Amino acid sequence: MPRIRLHLLLLLGASLACAPAARVSPPAIPDRTAVSFPETWRFPSGVRASFARNAMIASNDRLASEAGIDILRQGGNAVDAAVAVGFALVVTHPEAGNLGGGGYMVIRLADGGTAALDYREMAPIAATRDMYLDDSGNVTDRSVEGYLASGVPGAVAGMAAALERYGTMTLAQVIAPALRLAEQGFVVDSNLHASIRGDRRLIGRFAGAPVFLPGGEPPPVGSTLRQPTLARTLRLIAAQGPDVFYRGEIADSIVAEMQRGGGIMTRADLAGYRAAWREPIRSTYRGYTLLTMPPSSSGGVTITETLNILETFSALPQFGTAAWFHRLASAYQRAFIDRNAKLGDPDFVDVPVAELTSKAYARSLAATIEPGRATPTSELTTTGSGGAEGMHTTHFSVVDAEGNAVATTTTINSLYGSGVYIPGAGFFMNNEMDDFAAKPGVPNQFGLVQGEQNAIAPRKRMLSAMSPTIVLDSAGQLLLIAGARGGPRIITGTSQVILNVIDHRMTLADAMSAPRIHHQALPDELRFEEGGLAATTQTALRLLGYTLDENPGGIGTVMGVMRVRGGWEGFVDPRSYGGAVGY
Ligand code: DON
């Protein structure tokens, strides 16, 4: 009997054994409710998501999702497929897919086992607390662009660790689709073309120019992009494993380019990198269970704290009303104050995860929310807090036919990271050092104000907002796999999709298409997506005391997979592009 069916029978058996005779168990998949969005909103409601009976993958690139489905069809499980998607994105989605960055993975196996993998970058050994300050103590842009901006990459170690512990295939097998795409090339679409064009100044400064700007221009739409150097790197990793990246030939290439450009990353940095297995944060929300990412990401703690605050209210106001957005913004504001001041790398600082995610603490915070007034952030804290405006990251959600689920978010931070491209190995390096507090208490160029907990130290991981999350329904069955890109808006974007599914009973497509808001404590304003709030709702929020910021940018871009009757739906955030592919 397939493992998933056995699992369902066991669950059914357990619930029958415990349930009083007359009790009717809640439907595993409650009916969805139709929703209407403001007339000014750019995405329609009622759109159909992709559907498949057995398995589903949603990622920022259709070819990468197909690579994962290929692996599933060959008999691989969701972890094999997730690793294949991760490698394929390096080739087809170079703005964010990466070997030169890092990320997080939350796994929930069909047998109920769970795991969280932290493969976030680490600061180089030679990093110092004030390395990005000039002589006058002002923050420079060296954490954003160029050779000093990179943390030690964790992606290869992370993907290899996930595969080793939970996969069933070899690295060579799961790398094969990416290798094919790098070697034989793939057709450049308008998204990739526009992305390269948008960052031609940055790319043009470093060694990636001949690959991505041949003759000074992005490869034309419809042309075939081949990456032979990257193909060689992928072949080396497939044959020799992560060691070749951290101690072998690829390490040599990274260090050579770093030395050439005045960077500080050494062979000892690469040899010393370790991915870390952690316990996922397991929380409940209105009978559902959330499995999400603990520090060094702030994502799981901040989402859990927000949802715990909201859960203290027995019923939530209707979607789209000022009362709903007031409740939501107030919860985010309080959770972000803690996020910015109290979270950091748990291997370096004490992080009060248990307290911040406790129901009792949420009740004390909820008690400070007044129904008729927005609370100024200055009344809630004396320390500054804010949020970063990162540029690029990529999330993918995977479920296989057994019901194993993987949520992965990975990034090189901004689009094309630091811009630095390793010419001997064919990939971009991250600019993740900018996620540290370069100067605690002082906003960086993106408005981020974080605390001492996230100050720079050698070998420390910089705080992240990445929030790969898996939701189980009230019967303990897998319901939703989600995560996003968007800097701190990863947290608000991902959690609003979850709330839209649980509280507002939306379909996956509606939950992801619905207009979103963002509040990160400081700047003390409620950001909303252009056209996303009805004029009457805006007026009511202003009367409550909010400063509104109508922003043309999206609030996170989510990749979601959800169980529905008879199979799985997958949906790519309409704010972004990609492919939801199943079978
Ligand atoms: O780890 C983080 O929180 C950031 N480096 C993520 C950056 C990001 O999502 C950029 N995308 N828009």
Side-chain angles (χ1 to χ4, degrees):
M1 178 181 305
R3 258 198 303 168
I4 180 74
R5 256 190 251 143
L6 179 64
H7 179 63
L8 290 178
L9 283 179
L10 288 174
L11 274 173
L12 197 63
S15 67
L16 287 178
C18 314
R23 205 187 119 207
V24 180
S25 355
I29 304 167
D31 285 333
R32 301 286 109 196
T33 306
V35 63
S36 59
F37 301 148
E39 275 173 18
T40 47
W41 182 234
R42 60 188 188 277
F43 304 126
S45 60
V47 167
R48 289 183 78 84
S50 305
F51 171 84
R53 288 206 176 285
N54 300 295
M56 179 63 70
I57 298 177
S59 85
N60 262 128
D61 185 75
R62 171 166 290 277
L63 294 171
S65 296
E66 283 169 359
I69 291 292
D70 243 28
I71 292 294
L72 292 180
R73 283 189 187 278
Q74 288 171 39
N77 68 12
V79 175
D80 297 316
V83 174
V85 173
F87 278 110
L89 286 168
V90 178
V91 183
T92 60
H93 192 58
E95 65 186 40
N98 66 82
L99 299 178
Y104 299 94
M105 188 181 282
V106 173
I107 299 171
R108 199 260 182 179
L109 300 173
D111 68 5
T114 62
L117 181 61
D118 179 340
Y119 54 99
R120 181 71 158 168
E121 299 91 328
M122 289 170 153
I125 295 164
T128 59
R129 185 189 158 93
D130 296 334
M131 63 187 282
Y132 299 116
L133 305 186
D134 65 16
D135 291 345
S136 319
N138 298 318
V139 179
T140 65
D141 72 354
R142 292 193 298 260
S143 63
V144 178
E145 198 165 317
Y147 293 87
L148 286 174
S150 300
V152 182
V156 174
M159 290 193 282
L163 193 72
E164 190 186 341
R165 188 171 286 198
Y166 292 107
T168 63
M169 289 181 153
T170 62
L171 256 180
Q173 284 172 302
V174 298
I175 287 177
L179 181 54
R180 222 172 14 251
L181 287 163
E183 215 158 37
Q184 296 171 10
F186 64 95
V187 176
V188 173
D189 64 12
S190 55
N191 295 319
L192 178 57
H193 177 85
S195 159
I196 295 171
R197 176 174 293 283
D199 260 294
R200 65 200 296 180
R201 184 203 62 81
L202 179 69
I203 296 169
R205 270 194 63 195
F206 301 99
V211 181
F212 294 103
L213 295 168
E217 291 295 323
V221 174
S223 64
T224 298
L225 178 62
R226 291 188 184 81
Q227 297 172 75
T229 310
L230 177 57
R232 182 169 178 278
T233 292
L234 291 171
R235 203 175 297 107
L236 284 173
I237 298 171
Q240 297 177 38
D243 241 34
V244 72
F245 187 93
Y246 291 99
R247 290 184 189 78
E249 214 179 298
I250 303 171
D252 290 340
S253 296
I254 296 173
V255 172
E257 179 62 10
M258 286 293 162
Q259 278 173 357
R260 204 184 62 74
I264 55 174
M265 200 176 293
T266 62
R267 279 197 72 113
D269 283 317
L270 288 157
Y273 182 85
R274 298 282 178 276
W277 287 102
R278 306 198 189 274
E279 269 304 303
I281 293 179
R282 189 184 187 99
S283 62
T284 57
Y285 179 70
R286 299 191 197 281
Y288 292 75
T289 299
L290 266 75
L291 300 163
T292 182
M293 197 65 216
S296 62
S297 181
S298 66
V301 171
T302 315
I303 288 180
T304 301
E305 197 175 325
T306 302
L307 267 56
N308 282 347
I309 294 171
L310 292 173
E311 196 188 42
T312 64
F313 300 96
S314 55
L316 288 174
Q318 198 189 334
F319 179 82
T321 60
W324 162 244
F325 290 121
H326 172 43
R327 200 67 69 73
L328 189 58
S330 302
Y332 284 140
Q333 179 189 28
R334 284 153 179 80
F336 265 91
I337 287 170
D338 286 333
R339 180 242 180 242
N340 292 328
K342 297 179 184 169
L343 300 185
D345 181 349
D347 296 337
F348 280 72
V349 294
D350 284 333
V351 184
V353 173
E355 183 201 331
L356 295 179
T357 57
S358 80
K359 301 284 185 192
Y361 181 60
R363 280 192 293 277
S364 73
L365 291 178
T368 67
I369 300 176
E370 298 172 51
R373 186 180 83 105
T375 323
T377 296
S378 57
E379 278 182 26
L380 295 167
T381 176
T382 51
T383 62
S385 61
E389 299 279 339
M391 307 299 181
H392 245 64
T393 296
T394 187
H395 175 85
F396 41 103
S397 296
V398 179
V399 66
D400 67 19
E402 301 287 306
N404 299 301
V406 180
T408 308
T409 316
T410 180
T411 190
I412 42 177
N413 202 10
S414 309
L415 279 155
Y416 303 98
S418 61
V420 172
Y421 181 87
I422 307 301
F427 59 85
F428 289 99
M429 292 294 286
N430 69 83
N431 61 351
E432 225 72 62
M433 291 297 282
D434 194 57
D435 277 346
F436 276 120
K439 186 172 181 180
V442 172
N444 72 2
Q445 62 168 327
F446 301 119
L448 177 66
V449 186
Q450 299 175 106
E452 284 295 332
Q453 294 279 78
N454 191 30
I456 302 171
R459 297 182 53 77
K460 190 176 174 183
R461 297 179 208 262
M462 53 300 283
L463 189 63
S464 172
M466 289 188 266
S467 307
T469 300
I470 295 173
V471 181
L472 313 179
D473 68 13
S474 52
Q477 296 179 32
L478 180 61
L479 177 67
L480 179 67
I481 310 163
R485 72 184 187 205
R489 290 163 286 147
I490 289 173
I491 293 169
T492 41
T494 305
S495 56
Q496 278 167 82
V497 170
I498 293 168
L499 292 163
N500 288 345
V501 165
I502 294 180
D503 285 298
H504 302 302
R505 299 273 182 232
M506 292 184 203
T507 63
L508 179 65
D510 284 347
M512 290 172 57
S513 303
R516 304 199 268 258
I517 61 137
H518 178 75
H519 201 309
Q520 59 186 31
L522 284 179
D524 192 354
E525 59 192 22
L526 190 158
R527 175 186 287 201
F528 68 100
E529 297 174 307
E530 196 168 32
L533 296 189
T536 47
T537 308
Q538 292 180 41
T539 306
L541 287 167
R542 282 200 185 91
L543 284 172
L544 286 169
Y546 284 103
T547 301
L548 297 186
D549 170 28
E550 181 165 17
N551 200 287
I555 291 175
T557 58
V558 179
M559 298 289 142
V561 167
M562 188 162 108
R563 189 165 57 89
V564 293
R565 288 196 179 90
W568 301 94
E569 282 189 349
F571 200 63
V572 171
D573 200 308
R575 295 158 187 80
S576 183
Y577 45 82
V581 184
Y583 76 93

